[in-house]
């Protein structure tokens, strides 16, 4: 099987999943956090090198204050439950996006986790936090200008994106069947295979990930011969 080196996921449908069971939205978010662990471990087992997850977008600040507050508590929940196992599996934590606007306590939890896992050699688990695809391109352009560039090339942008240094994204998965990119990795998804499933994120289990990777593998095989 042809394994994608870098997978990106839009983890949608947590609220809908909760509503379906007559539970509050935050119940879905918590279930979604547990699933991050399952999918990260499975991706590592499949041989994926980098997994980038859309945890919080630049648009998510528009949600009700109590929901934003709850979401910002999830990184701490995640590391309290799973850090020991992540260390054992050699998972390295990273982020893309602007952490400056993230509440201090949440930022600290994330920065600590990055430091603790910095030398790990397994899967790189990247959380997009306060991330927007357009904002990414703009900050990359501004960094290039700060380096003294006046006329920018594609390479100038590429080298300054938050994802600089990671392999190209081979496969983007969006759960919960909306056919949108929602300002996720706009530049980086130019050549990615796009996979959409009706499955809500808390129901997107290890077998579903394997199915998506098999789909990717078959597409690569078909197009490979023609390239
Ligand atoms: C809720 C589904 C893990 C999407 C997944 C701050 C919505 C569960 C994290 C996390 C969220 C983020 C950074 C980090 C470690 C863990 C997370 C948010 C939402 C928004 F370093 N799950 N998770 N962060 N959800």
């Amino acid at each position: 099987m042809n394994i994608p080196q870098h997978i990106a996921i839009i983890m949608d449908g947590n609220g809908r999943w909760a509503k379906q069971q007559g539970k509050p939205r935050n119940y879905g978010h918590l279930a979604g956090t547990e699933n991050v662990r399952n999918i990260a471990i499975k991706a590592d087992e499949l041989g994926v090198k980098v997994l980038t997850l859309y945890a919080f977008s630049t648009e998510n600040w528009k949600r009700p204050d109590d929901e934003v507050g709850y979401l910002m508590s999830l990184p701490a929940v995640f590391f309290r439950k799973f850090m020991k196992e992540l260390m054992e599996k050699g998972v390295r934590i990273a982020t893309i996006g602007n952490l400056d606007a993230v509440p201090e306590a949440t930022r600290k939890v994330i920065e600590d986790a990055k430091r603790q896992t910095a030398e790990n050699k397994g899967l790189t688990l990247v959380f997009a936090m306060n991330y927007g695809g357009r904002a990414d391109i703009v900050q990359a352009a501004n960094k290039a200008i700060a380096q003294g560039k006046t006329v920018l090339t594609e390479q100038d942008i590429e080298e300054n994106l938050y994802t600089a240094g990671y392999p190209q994204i081979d496969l983007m998965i969006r759960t919960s069947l909306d056919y949108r990119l929602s300002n996720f990795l706009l530049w980086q998804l130019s050549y990615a295979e796009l996979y959409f499933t009706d499955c809500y994120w808390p129901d997107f289990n290890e077998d579903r990930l394997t199915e998506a990777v098999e789909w990717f593998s078959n597409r690569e095989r078909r197009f490979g011969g023609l390239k």
Side-chain angles (χ1 to χ4, degrees), residues 200-225:
Y200 296 144
W201 172 249
D203 290 330
F204 188 85
N205 61 21
E206 292 92 332
D207 290 345
R208 296 300 180 88
L209 179 67
T210 305
E211 274 170 30
V213 169
E214 279 167 355
W215 174 87
F216 169 84
S217 190
N218 287 332
R219 292 197 63 77
E220 285 292 294
R221 209 174 304 139
R222 270 195 286 141
F223 289 112

Side-chain angles (χ1 to χ4, degrees), residues 34-97:
E34 305 259 341
N35 200 40
V36 167
R37 174 258 170 217
N38 297 338
I39 294 303
I41 301 289
K42 184 66 187 183
D44 184 40
E45 284 170 10
L46 287 169
V48 173
K49 299 287 174 239
V50 183
L51 179 64
T52 298
L53 303 176
Y54 208 3
F56 197 88
S57 76
T58 50
E59 286 75 35
N60 285 156
W61 297 107
K62 295 179 201 148
R63 302 234 179 130
D65 284 355
D66 59 334
E67 186 173 341
V68 170
Y70 186 75
L71 289 170
M72 287 300 162
S73 75
L74 289 176
V77 171
F78 180 79
F79 291 125
R80 193 170 60 237
K81 285 191 180 173
F82 305 127
M83 181 52 103
K84 184 167 173 281
E85 187 183 17
L86 296 172
M87 287 301 294
E88 283 164 10
K89 305 254 177 189
V91 174
R92 190 161 65 100
I93 300 294
T95 59
I96 56 173

Side-chain angles (χ1 to χ4, degrees), residues 25 52 90 104 138-139 204:
R25 288 178 62 78
T52 298
E104 161 102 57
V138 170
Q139 70 79 31
F204 188 85

Side-chain angles (χ1 to χ4, degrees), residues 9-182:
I9 309 185
I10 301 179
M11 308 179 288
D12 203 8
N14 303 283
R16 270 170 277 187
W17 179 87
K19 192 174 178 192
Q20 195 184 43
Q21 307 173 52
K23 298 267 175 39
R25 288 178 62 78
N26 288 346
Y27 180 81
H29 293 321
L30 184 61
T33 300
E34 305 259 341
N35 200 40
V36 167
R37 174 258 170 217
N38 297 338
I39 294 303
I41 301 289
K42 184 66 187 183
D44 184 40
E45 284 170 10
L46 287 169
V48 173
K49 299 287 174 239
V50 183
L51 179 64
T52 298
L53 303 176
Y54 208 3
F56 197 88
S57 76
T58 50
E59 286 75 35
N60 285 156
W61 297 107
K62 295 179 201 148
R63 302 234 179 130
D65 284 355
D66 59 334
E67 186 173 341
V68 170
Y70 186 75
L71 289 170
M72 287 300 162
S73 75
L74 289 176
V77 171
F78 180 79
F79 291 125
R80 193 170 60 237
K81 285 191 180 173
F82 305 127
M83 181 52 103
K84 184 167 173 281
E85 187 183 17
L86 296 172
M87 287 301 294
E88 283 164 10
K89 305 254 177 189
V91 174
R92 190 161 65 100
I93 300 294
T95 59
I96 56 173
N98 183 3
L99 282 183
D100 294 346
V102 169
E104 161 102 57
T106 307
R107 191 167 64 235
K108 189 177 175 305
V109 161
I110 296 171
E111 295 295 2
D112 282 351
K114 285 199 225 176
R115 264 193 298 275
Q116 273 188 67
T117 62
E119 304 301 320
N120 287 352
K121 299 287 178 248
L123 176 80
T124 301
L125 179 56
V126 183
F127 290 97
M129 285 289 295
N130 190 25
Y131 177 87
R134 291 181 181 179
D136 193 359
I137 295 167
V138 170
Q139 70 79 31
N142 282 325
K143 268 196 212 157
I145 290 166
Q147 292 157 9
K149 308 266 167 60
T150 49
V151 180
L152 306 185
T153 63
E154 288 191 14
Q155 195 188 337
D156 292 323
I157 301 288
E158 183 77 37
E159 287 172 355
N160 286 292
L161 290 167
Y162 286 122
T163 49
Y166 296 129
Q168 286 299 318
I169 298 171
D170 302 308
L171 172 63
M172 193 285 300
I173 299 170
R174 179 168 188 152
T175 59
S176 200
L177 215 59
D178 279 322
Y179 295 92
R180 294 191 292 270
L181 290 184
S182 300

